[in-house]
């Protein structure tokens, strides 16, 4: 089988890091982006390479759309240099931040920051990378359980994720002629450093979420990394334009 290559944004920490390691364990080669910690990114490269696959870490600020043409050119050069190829197979739009602010107090600056990273960035980055994505390739966007249920303080964040869910269906419709499938995964609350590590580190928050989850615990990074690897597997190649929530059954 021809080697597969995945490009994952925000792959140096959190769920993105877990996802690239799970994909690498399945023999998929990796390009991932990092934003602020070059040393952590190189450590992830070494961890990936222990699986016998190749990895490249590239700096990217997903809010900086002006940099996307240069980034796409860098991806093209790395594909040629590292793999002798012109295209990659899977794009995972994972990079993101969390801002918790009540609707009545959300500032325009906070809104714009979320818009740039969570919606505008993935919209135009995917557009720029389309010439490098294989016909028959796969795109996996990332939403949140908060786009289905509402918790105070996440109005702007969840609205951007809701926009990504609508965009996913349009991408699937318009890219179908190239046999590219597009789906979106919606994690529930996960024990990571996301949003200051509140779910992981605040025992009261952790217990509350576990009590509201059918499977009786808070999600772990492995739960999402495994799901991303499964959603990009050949066995699910016929699934298209779907929102898949991976939350253990939160707020049913």
């Amino acid at each position: 089988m021809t080697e597969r290559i995945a490009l994952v944004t925000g792959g140096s920490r959190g769920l993105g890091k877990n996802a690239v390691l799970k994909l690498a364990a399945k023999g998929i080669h990796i390009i991932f982006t990092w934003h602020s910690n070059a040393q952590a990114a190189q450590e992830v490269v070494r961890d990936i390479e222990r699986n016998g696959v190749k990895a490249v870490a590239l700096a990217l600020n997903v809010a900086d759309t002006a940099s996307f043409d240069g980034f796409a050119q860098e991806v093209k050069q790395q594909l040629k240099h590292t793999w002798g190829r012109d295209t990659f197979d899977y794009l995972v739009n994972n990079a993101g931040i969390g801002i918790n602010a009540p609707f009545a107090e959300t500032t325009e600056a906070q809104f714009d920051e979320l818009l740039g990273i969570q919606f505008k960035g993935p919209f135009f980055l995917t557009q720029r990378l389309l010439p490098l994505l294989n016909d028959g390739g796969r795109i996996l966007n990332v939403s949140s359980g908060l786009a289905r249920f509402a918790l105070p303080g996440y109005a702007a964040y969840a609205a951007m994720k809701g926009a990504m869910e609508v965009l996913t269906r349009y991408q699937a419709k318009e890219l179908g002629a190239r046999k590219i499938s597009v789906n979106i995964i919606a994690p529930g609350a996960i024990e990571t450093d996301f949003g200051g590590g509140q779910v992981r580190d605040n025992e009261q928050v952790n217990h509350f979420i576990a009590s509201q989850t059918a499977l009786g615990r808070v999600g772990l990074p492995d739960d999402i990394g495994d799901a991303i690897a499964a959603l990009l597997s050949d066995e699910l190649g016929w699934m298209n334009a779907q929102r898949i929530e991976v939350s253990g059954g939160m707020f049913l």
Side-chain angles (χ1 to χ4, degrees):
M1 184 176 67
T2 304
E3 61 189 8
R4 309 287 178 87
I5 303 170
L7 194 162
V8 180
T9 63
S12 64
R13 50 178 283 275
L15 297 183
K17 175 182 176 180
N18 192 277
V20 298
L21 293 174
K22 295 291 187 179
L23 289 167
K26 292 183 174 293
I28 296 171
H29 299 257
I30 303 293
I31 300 171
F32 71 90
T33 73
W34 59 275
H35 180 223
S36 59
N37 192 332
Q39 181 178 345
Q42 288 309 308
E43 290 173 359
V44 175
V45 167
R46 288 191 288 272
D47 288 342
I48 292 170
E49 289 176 341
R50 291 192 185 101
N51 290 281
V53 298
K54 298 173 183 175
V56 172
L58 300 177
L60 178 69
N61 176 2
V62 295
D64 182 12
T65 55
S67 73
F68 289 175
D69 285 338
F71 175 75
Q73 188 62 33
E74 193 172 7
V75 171
K76 184 176 182 179
Q77 291 170 353
Q78 288 293 341
L79 286 168
K80 180 66 72 174
H81 173 74
T82 307
W83 290 279
R85 283 181 51 176
D86 298 317
T87 58
F88 65 96
D89 303 284
Y90 310 125
L91 172 61
V92 182
N93 285 307
N94 164 77
I97 61 166
I99 293 179
N100 185 315
F103 167 74
E105 300 170 19
T106 299
T107 66
E108 191 171 352
Q110 289 174 320
F111 183 95
D112 287 345
E113 184 177 12
L114 284 166
L115 176 66
I117 295 173
Q118 305 286 14
F119 183 57
K120 183 180 178 182
F123 187 107
F124 287 104
L125 181 62
T126 302
Q127 188 185 85
R128 296 299 192 280
L129 292 174
L130 281 177
L132 303 178
L133 183 62
N134 248 338
D135 287 353
R138 315 273 280 280
I139 297 171
L140 184 63
N141 296 318
V142 177
S143 181
S144 168
L146 290 162
R148 174 178 64 84
F149 50 77
L151 291 176
Y154 293 101
Y157 173 84
M160 305 305 168
K161 293 303 192 182
M164 285 300 299
E165 293 185 6
V166 174
L167 175 63
T168 295
R169 295 194 294 274
Y170 274 81
Q171 289 174 327
K173 184 74 168 180
E174 296 191 25
L175 300 178
R178 291 183 53 191
K179 310 303 181 190
I180 293 171
S181 67
V182 190
N183 296 289
I184 189 162
I185 184 172
I190 307 295
E191 291 185 3
T192 69
D193 59 1
F194 187 79
Q198 187 179 33
V199 173
R200 181 190 62 195
D201 302 331
N202 186 315
E203 188 174 349
Q204 186 175 358
V205 170
N206 194 292
H207 285 171
F208 169 73
I209 292 171
S211 74
Q212 299 299 312
T213 302
L215 293 181
R217 65 169 175 82
V218 170
L220 301 174
D222 279 350
D223 295 322
I224 307 304
D226 283 333
I228 289 173
L231 290 171
L232 293 176
S233 68
D234 290 344
E235 288 80 3
L236 290 178
W238 189 238
M239 184 175 66
N240 197 18
Q242 299 304 303
R243 175 194 191 270
I244 303 94
E245 183 170 315
V246 184
S247 70
M250 284 183 65
F251 298 116
L252 297 178

